[in-house]
Short mmCIF file of all heavy atoms in Angstrom, two decimals:
data_model
loop_
_atom_site.label_atom_id
_atom_site.label_comp_id
_atom_site.label_asym_id
_atom_site.label_seq_id
_atom_site.Cartn_x
_atom_site.Cartn_y
_atom_site.Cartn_z
N HIS A 74 0.39 -37.36 -2.09
CA HIS A 74 -0.38 -36.70 -1.04
C HIS A 74 0.36 -36.87 0.28
O HIS A 74 1.12 -37.82 0.47
CB HIS A 74 -1.81 -37.26 -0.96
CG HIS A 74 -1.89 -38.73 -0.71
ND1 HIS A 74 -1.62 -39.68 -1.68
CD2 HIS A 74 -2.20 -39.43 0.41
CE1 HIS A 74 -1.77 -40.89 -1.17
NE2 HIS A 74 -2.11 -40.77 0.11
N VAL A 75 0.14 -35.91 1.17
CA VAL A 75 0.81 -35.89 2.46
C VAL A 75 -0.25 -35.88 3.56
O VAL A 75 -1.22 -35.12 3.49
CB VAL A 75 1.74 -34.66 2.58
CG1 VAL A 75 2.40 -34.61 3.96
CG2 VAL A 75 2.79 -34.66 1.47
N HIS A 76 -0.05 -36.72 4.57
CA HIS A 76 -0.97 -36.82 5.69
C HIS A 76 -0.53 -35.89 6.82
O HIS A 76 0.65 -35.84 7.16
CB HIS A 76 -0.98 -38.26 6.22
CG HIS A 76 -1.38 -39.27 5.20
ND1 HIS A 76 -2.63 -39.83 5.15
CD2 HIS A 76 -0.68 -39.82 4.17
CE1 HIS A 76 -2.69 -40.68 4.13
NE2 HIS A 76 -1.50 -40.68 3.53
N PHE A 77 -1.49 -35.19 7.41
CA PHE A 77 -1.27 -34.36 8.59
C PHE A 77 -2.21 -34.89 9.67
O PHE A 77 -3.43 -34.82 9.51
CB PHE A 77 -1.64 -32.90 8.31
CG PHE A 77 -0.69 -32.16 7.42
CD1 PHE A 77 -0.68 -32.37 6.05
CD2 PHE A 77 0.18 -31.21 7.95
CE1 PHE A 77 0.19 -31.67 5.23
CE2 PHE A 77 1.06 -30.51 7.13
CZ PHE A 77 1.06 -30.74 5.76
N THR A 78 -1.66 -35.45 10.74
CA THR A 78 -2.50 -35.97 11.81
C THR A 78 -2.05 -35.41 13.15
O THR A 78 -0.89 -35.01 13.31
CB THR A 78 -2.47 -37.52 11.88
OG1 THR A 78 -1.14 -37.96 12.17
CG2 THR A 78 -2.94 -38.14 10.57
N ALA A 79 -2.97 -35.42 14.11
CA ALA A 79 -2.62 -35.03 15.48
C ALA A 79 -1.59 -36.02 15.99
O ALA A 79 -1.70 -37.23 15.77
CB ALA A 79 -3.86 -35.03 16.36
N LEU A 80 -0.58 -35.51 16.66
CA LEU A 80 0.53 -36.34 17.14
C LEU A 80 0.05 -37.48 18.03
O LEU A 80 0.55 -38.58 17.95
CB LEU A 80 1.53 -35.45 17.89
CG LEU A 80 2.91 -36.01 18.15
CD1 LEU A 80 3.56 -36.49 16.86
CD2 LEU A 80 3.78 -34.96 18.81
N GLY A 81 -0.95 -37.24 18.85
CA GLY A 81 -1.45 -38.26 19.77
C GLY A 81 -2.41 -39.25 19.14
O GLY A 81 -2.81 -40.22 19.77
N TYR A 82 -2.79 -39.03 17.88
CA TYR A 82 -3.76 -39.90 17.22
C TYR A 82 -3.03 -41.04 16.50
O TYR A 82 -2.15 -40.82 15.70
CB TYR A 82 -4.58 -39.08 16.22
CG TYR A 82 -5.55 -39.86 15.38
CD1 TYR A 82 -6.40 -40.81 15.95
CD2 TYR A 82 -5.64 -39.65 14.02
CE1 TYR A 82 -7.30 -41.52 15.18
CE2 TYR A 82 -6.55 -40.36 13.24
CZ TYR A 82 -7.37 -41.29 13.83
OH TYR A 82 -8.26 -42.00 13.06
N ASP A 83 -3.42 -42.26 16.81
CA ASP A 83 -2.83 -43.43 16.18
C ASP A 83 -3.58 -43.71 14.87
O ASP A 83 -4.39 -44.63 14.79
CB ASP A 83 -2.89 -44.63 17.13
CG ASP A 83 -2.14 -45.84 16.62
OD1 ASP A 83 -1.28 -45.67 15.74
OD2 ASP A 83 -2.43 -46.95 17.08
N ALA A 84 -3.31 -42.90 13.88
CA ALA A 84 -4.03 -42.99 12.60
C ALA A 84 -3.64 -44.26 11.86
O ALA A 84 -2.50 -44.72 11.97
CB ALA A 84 -3.70 -41.77 11.75
N PRO A 85 -4.57 -44.82 11.08
CA PRO A 85 -4.23 -45.99 10.27
C PRO A 85 -3.06 -45.66 9.33
O PRO A 85 -3.05 -44.62 8.69
CB PRO A 85 -5.51 -46.25 9.46
CG PRO A 85 -6.59 -45.54 10.20
CD PRO A 85 -5.95 -44.38 10.90
N GLY A 86 -2.06 -46.52 9.31
CA GLY A 86 -0.93 -46.31 8.42
C GLY A 86 0.11 -45.32 8.92
O GLY A 86 1.00 -44.94 8.18
N SER A 87 0.01 -44.91 10.18
CA SER A 87 0.98 -43.93 10.70
C SER A 87 2.17 -44.62 11.36
O SER A 87 3.08 -43.96 11.84
CB SER A 87 0.31 -42.99 11.70
OG SER A 87 -0.13 -43.68 12.85
N SER A 88 2.20 -45.96 11.32
CA SER A 88 3.30 -46.68 11.95
C SER A 88 4.54 -46.65 11.06
O SER A 88 4.48 -46.35 9.88
CB SER A 88 2.88 -48.12 12.23
OG SER A 88 2.58 -48.78 11.01
N VAL A 89 5.65 -47.02 11.64
CA VAL A 89 6.95 -46.91 10.99
C VAL A 89 7.06 -47.76 9.72
O VAL A 89 7.80 -47.41 8.82
CB VAL A 89 8.08 -47.24 11.99
CG1 VAL A 89 8.10 -48.72 12.32
CG2 VAL A 89 9.41 -46.78 11.49
N GLU A 90 6.29 -48.84 9.61
CA GLU A 90 6.40 -49.69 8.42
C GLU A 90 5.89 -49.01 7.17
O GLU A 90 6.25 -49.37 6.07
CB GLU A 90 5.61 -50.99 8.60
CG GLU A 90 6.07 -51.86 9.73
CD GLU A 90 5.36 -51.51 11.02
OE1 GLU A 90 4.28 -50.88 10.99
OE2 GLU A 90 5.89 -51.85 12.08
N ARG A 91 5.02 -48.04 7.31
CA ARG A 91 4.37 -47.45 6.15
C ARG A 91 4.56 -45.94 6.05
O ARG A 91 4.52 -45.37 4.96
CB ARG A 91 2.87 -47.77 6.20
CG ARG A 91 2.17 -47.43 4.93
CD ARG A 91 0.88 -48.19 4.77
NE ARG A 91 0.23 -47.75 3.56
CZ ARG A 91 -1.05 -47.50 3.46
NH1 ARG A 91 -1.84 -47.67 4.49
NH2 ARG A 91 -1.55 -47.09 2.32
N ALA A 92 4.75 -45.26 7.16
CA ALA A 92 4.81 -43.80 7.18
C ALA A 92 6.25 -43.31 7.09
O ALA A 92 7.12 -43.80 7.79
CB ALA A 92 4.15 -43.27 8.45
N HIS A 93 6.46 -42.33 6.22
CA HIS A 93 7.77 -41.69 6.07
C HIS A 93 7.56 -40.21 6.36
O HIS A 93 6.82 -39.52 5.64
CB HIS A 93 8.30 -41.89 4.64
CG HIS A 93 8.52 -43.33 4.33
ND1 HIS A 93 9.76 -43.92 4.45
CD2 HIS A 93 7.65 -44.31 3.94
CE1 HIS A 93 9.64 -45.21 4.13
NE2 HIS A 93 8.38 -45.45 3.83
N LEU A 94 8.18 -39.74 7.45
CA LEU A 94 8.00 -38.35 7.88
C LEU A 94 8.46 -37.39 6.79
O LEU A 94 9.54 -37.56 6.22
CB LEU A 94 8.75 -38.08 9.18
CG LEU A 94 8.28 -38.87 10.40
CD1 LEU A 94 9.18 -38.58 11.59
CD2 LEU A 94 6.82 -38.56 10.72
N LEU A 95 7.64 -36.39 6.50
CA LEU A 95 7.96 -35.44 5.44
C LEU A 95 9.28 -34.72 5.71
O LEU A 95 10.07 -34.52 4.79
CB LEU A 95 6.82 -34.44 5.25
CG LEU A 95 7.02 -33.40 4.14
CD1 LEU A 95 7.32 -34.05 2.79
CD2 LEU A 95 5.80 -32.49 4.05
N ALA A 96 9.56 -34.36 6.94
CA ALA A 96 10.82 -33.69 7.26
C ALA A 96 12.01 -34.59 6.92
O ALA A 96 13.02 -34.12 6.40
CB ALA A 96 10.85 -33.28 8.73
N ASP A 97 11.88 -35.89 7.18
CA ASP A 97 12.95 -36.84 6.84
C ASP A 97 13.09 -36.98 5.33
O ASP A 97 14.20 -37.07 4.80
CB ASP A 97 12.68 -38.21 7.45
CG ASP A 97 12.81 -38.22 8.97
OD1 ASP A 97 13.37 -37.26 9.54
OD2 ASP A 97 12.35 -39.20 9.58
N VAL A 98 11.97 -37.02 4.62
CA VAL A 98 11.99 -37.13 3.15
C VAL A 98 12.73 -35.92 2.57
O VAL A 98 13.60 -36.07 1.70
CB VAL A 98 10.55 -37.23 2.59
CG1 VAL A 98 10.54 -37.08 1.07
CG2 VAL A 98 9.91 -38.54 3.01
N ILE A 99 12.43 -34.74 3.08
CA ILE A 99 13.10 -33.51 2.62
C ILE A 99 14.60 -33.60 2.88
O ILE A 99 15.41 -33.32 2.00
CB ILE A 99 12.47 -32.27 3.29
CG1 ILE A 99 11.05 -32.04 2.73
CG2 ILE A 99 13.35 -31.03 3.10
CD1 ILE A 99 10.23 -31.01 3.49
N ASP A 100 14.98 -34.00 4.09
CA ASP A 100 16.41 -34.13 4.42
C ASP A 100 17.10 -35.15 3.53
O ASP A 100 18.21 -34.92 3.05
CB ASP A 100 16.59 -34.52 5.89
CG ASP A 100 16.34 -33.38 6.86
OD1 ASP A 100 16.25 -32.21 6.41
OD2 ASP A 100 16.21 -33.65 8.06
N ASN A 101 16.46 -36.30 3.31
CA ASN A 101 17.06 -37.34 2.48
C ASN A 101 17.28 -36.86 1.05
O ASN A 101 18.32 -37.12 0.45
CB ASN A 101 16.20 -38.60 2.49
CG ASN A 101 16.22 -39.30 3.83
OD1 ASN A 101 17.15 -39.16 4.61
ND2 ASN A 101 15.16 -40.05 4.11
N LEU A 102 16.30 -36.16 0.49
CA LEU A 102 16.44 -35.66 -0.88
C LEU A 102 17.45 -34.53 -0.98
O LEU A 102 18.13 -34.38 -2.00
CB LEU A 102 15.08 -35.20 -1.41
CG LEU A 102 14.07 -36.31 -1.67
CD1 LEU A 102 12.71 -35.73 -1.98
CD2 LEU A 102 14.55 -37.24 -2.77
N ALA A 103 17.58 -33.75 0.09
CA ALA A 103 18.58 -32.67 0.10
C ALA A 103 19.99 -33.26 0.09
O ALA A 103 20.91 -32.68 -0.50
CB ALA A 103 18.38 -31.76 1.31
N MET A 104 20.17 -34.42 0.71
CA MET A 104 21.47 -35.08 0.73
C MET A 104 21.76 -35.85 -0.56
O MET A 104 22.90 -35.93 -1.00
CB MET A 104 21.56 -36.06 1.91
CG MET A 104 21.73 -35.38 3.25
SD MET A 104 22.01 -36.57 4.57
CE MET A 104 20.46 -37.44 4.64
N ASP A 105 20.71 -36.45 -1.13
CA ASP A 105 20.88 -37.28 -2.32
C ASP A 105 19.60 -37.18 -3.16
O ASP A 105 18.55 -37.69 -2.77
CB ASP A 105 21.12 -38.74 -1.90
CG ASP A 105 21.30 -39.69 -3.06
OD1 ASP A 105 21.08 -39.29 -4.23
OD2 ASP A 105 21.64 -40.85 -2.80
N SER A 106 19.71 -36.54 -4.31
CA SER A 106 18.56 -36.27 -5.16
C SER A 106 17.79 -37.53 -5.57
O SER A 106 16.58 -37.49 -5.76
CB SER A 106 19.00 -35.51 -6.41
OG SER A 106 17.89 -35.27 -7.25
N THR A 107 18.47 -38.64 -5.69
CA THR A 107 17.81 -39.87 -6.14
C THR A 107 17.65 -40.90 -5.00
O THR A 107 17.53 -42.10 -5.25
CB THR A 107 18.58 -40.50 -7.32
OG1 THR A 107 19.92 -40.78 -6.90
CG2 THR A 107 18.58 -39.58 -8.53
N TYR A 108 17.63 -40.41 -3.79
CA TYR A 108 17.55 -41.27 -2.60
C TYR A 108 16.43 -42.31 -2.73
O TYR A 108 16.63 -43.49 -2.48
CB TYR A 108 17.33 -40.40 -1.37
CG TYR A 108 17.29 -41.17 -0.07
CD1 TYR A 108 18.45 -41.45 0.63
CD2 TYR A 108 16.08 -41.60 0.47
CE1 TYR A 108 18.42 -42.15 1.83
CE2 TYR A 108 16.04 -42.30 1.66
CZ TYR A 108 17.21 -42.57 2.34
OH TYR A 108 17.16 -43.27 3.51
N TYR A 109 15.23 -41.87 -3.12
CA TYR A 109 14.08 -42.78 -3.12
C TYR A 109 13.99 -43.66 -4.36
O TYR A 109 13.19 -44.59 -4.39
CB TYR A 109 12.78 -42.01 -2.87
CG TYR A 109 12.75 -41.53 -1.44
CD1 TYR A 109 13.06 -40.21 -1.11
CD2 TYR A 109 12.49 -42.41 -0.41
CE1 TYR A 109 13.09 -39.80 0.22
CE2 TYR A 109 12.51 -42.01 0.92
CZ TYR A 109 12.81 -40.70 1.22
OH TYR A 109 12.85 -40.30 2.53
N GLN A 110 14.83 -43.41 -5.35
CA GLN A 110 14.93 -44.34 -6.47
C GLN A 110 15.87 -45.50 -6.10
O GLN A 110 15.73 -46.60 -6.63
CB GLN A 110 15.47 -43.65 -7.73
CG GLN A 110 14.42 -42.83 -8.47
CD GLN A 110 14.19 -41.47 -7.83
OE1 GLN A 110 15.13 -40.75 -7.55
NE2 GLN A 110 12.94 -41.13 -7.59
N LYS A 111 16.80 -45.25 -5.19
CA LYS A 111 17.82 -46.24 -4.83
C LYS A 111 17.51 -47.00 -3.55
O LYS A 111 17.97 -48.12 -3.37
CB LYS A 111 19.18 -45.55 -4.67
CG LYS A 111 19.67 -44.88 -5.94
CD LYS A 111 21.05 -44.30 -5.77
CE LYS A 111 21.05 -43.02 -5.00
NZ LYS A 111 22.31 -42.29 -5.07
N ARG A 112 16.80 -46.40 -2.66
CA ARG A 112 16.60 -46.93 -1.30
C ARG A 112 15.65 -48.12 -1.29
O ARG A 112 14.61 -48.09 -1.93
CB ARG A 112 16.03 -45.80 -0.43
CG ARG A 112 15.57 -46.18 0.95
CD ARG A 112 16.73 -46.12 1.92
NE ARG A 112 16.39 -46.05 3.31
CZ ARG A 112 15.75 -46.96 4.01
NH1 ARG A 112 15.25 -48.01 3.45
NH2 ARG A 112 15.58 -46.81 5.31
N ALA A 113 16.01 -49.16 -0.58
CA ALA A 113 15.08 -50.27 -0.34
C ALA A 113 14.05 -49.79 0.67
O ALA A 113 14.41 -49.24 1.72
CB ALA A 113 15.83 -51.48 0.20
N LEU A 114 12.78 -49.95 0.35
CA LEU A 114 11.71 -49.50 1.24
C LEU A 114 10.84 -50.70 1.61
O LEU A 114 10.29 -51.37 0.74
CB LEU A 114 10.84 -48.44 0.55
CG LEU A 114 11.54 -47.14 0.19
CD1 LEU A 114 10.63 -46.28 -0.69
CD2 LEU A 114 11.93 -46.37 1.44
N THR A 115 10.74 -50.96 2.91
CA THR A 115 9.86 -52.04 3.36
C THR A 115 8.47 -51.48 3.54
O THR A 115 8.29 -50.28 3.80
CB THR A 115 10.36 -52.64 4.69
OG1 THR A 115 10.42 -51.59 5.66
CG2 THR A 115 11.72 -53.27 4.53
N PHE A 116 7.48 -52.34 3.38
CA PHE A 116 6.10 -51.92 3.59
C PHE A 116 5.25 -53.15 3.89
O PHE A 116 5.55 -54.25 3.43
CB PHE A 116 5.55 -51.16 2.37
CG PHE A 116 5.69 -51.90 1.06
CD1 PHE A 116 4.69 -52.74 0.61
CD2 PHE A 116 6.83 -51.73 0.29
CE1 PHE A 116 4.83 -53.42 -0.59
CE2 PHE A 116 6.97 -52.40 -0.92
CZ PHE A 116 5.97 -53.25 -1.36
N PRO A 117 4.19 -52.97 4.67
CA PRO A 117 3.32 -54.11 5.00
C PRO A 117 2.31 -54.36 3.88
O PRO A 117 1.90 -53.44 3.18
CB PRO A 117 2.62 -53.64 6.27
CG PRO A 117 2.55 -52.15 6.13
CD PRO A 117 3.80 -51.77 5.37
N LEU A 118 1.93 -55.61 3.73
CA LEU A 118 0.87 -55.99 2.80
C LEU A 118 -0.08 -56.95 3.51
O LEU A 118 0.36 -57.83 4.24
CB LEU A 118 1.45 -56.69 1.57
CG LEU A 118 2.20 -55.85 0.56
CD1 LEU A 118 2.86 -56.73 -0.48
CD2 LEU A 118 1.25 -54.86 -0.10
N ARG A 119 -1.38 -56.78 3.25
CA ARG A 119 -2.36 -57.74 3.75
C ARG A 119 -2.36 -58.97 2.84
O ARG A 119 -2.07 -58.88 1.65
CB ARG A 119 -3.76 -57.11 3.78
CG ARG A 119 -3.91 -56.00 4.82
CD ARG A 119 -5.36 -55.52 4.92
NE ARG A 119 -6.01 -55.35 3.63
CZ ARG A 119 -6.01 -54.23 2.92
NH1 ARG A 119 -5.38 -53.15 3.36
NH2 ARG A 119 -6.64 -54.16 1.76
N ALA A 120 -2.70 -60.11 3.40
CA ALA A 120 -2.69 -61.36 2.64
C ALA A 120 -3.66 -61.34 1.46
O ALA A 120 -3.46 -62.06 0.49
CB ALA A 120 -3.03 -62.53 3.57
#
């Protein structure tokens, strides 16, 4: 699923640790088909 939010809205999970811009995802996959199978992805977790 893809989130669409107002640019000025600080939506939960819209910060850099968790959100991956769709335009960037498209560009990354266009450059390397298996980008997201290989890439280390950081993400926050609650205790």
Side-chain angles (χ1 to χ4, degrees):
H74 58 285
V75 178
H76 302 258
F77 288 76
T78 63
L80 196 54
Y82 176 47
D83 187 20
S87 65
S88 62
V89 71
E90 299 89 20
R91 191 158 177 224
H93 298 263
L94 296 176
L95 181 55
D97 291 346
V98 170
I99 290 169
D100 285 347
N101 291 335
L102 291 171
M104 286 187 294
D105 179 352
S106 179
T107 59
Y108 183 87
Y109 290 101
Q110 281 79 50
K111 298 184 284 192
R112 172 87 161 63
L114 297 171
T115 58
F116 54 90
L118 287 172
R119 291 187 317 270

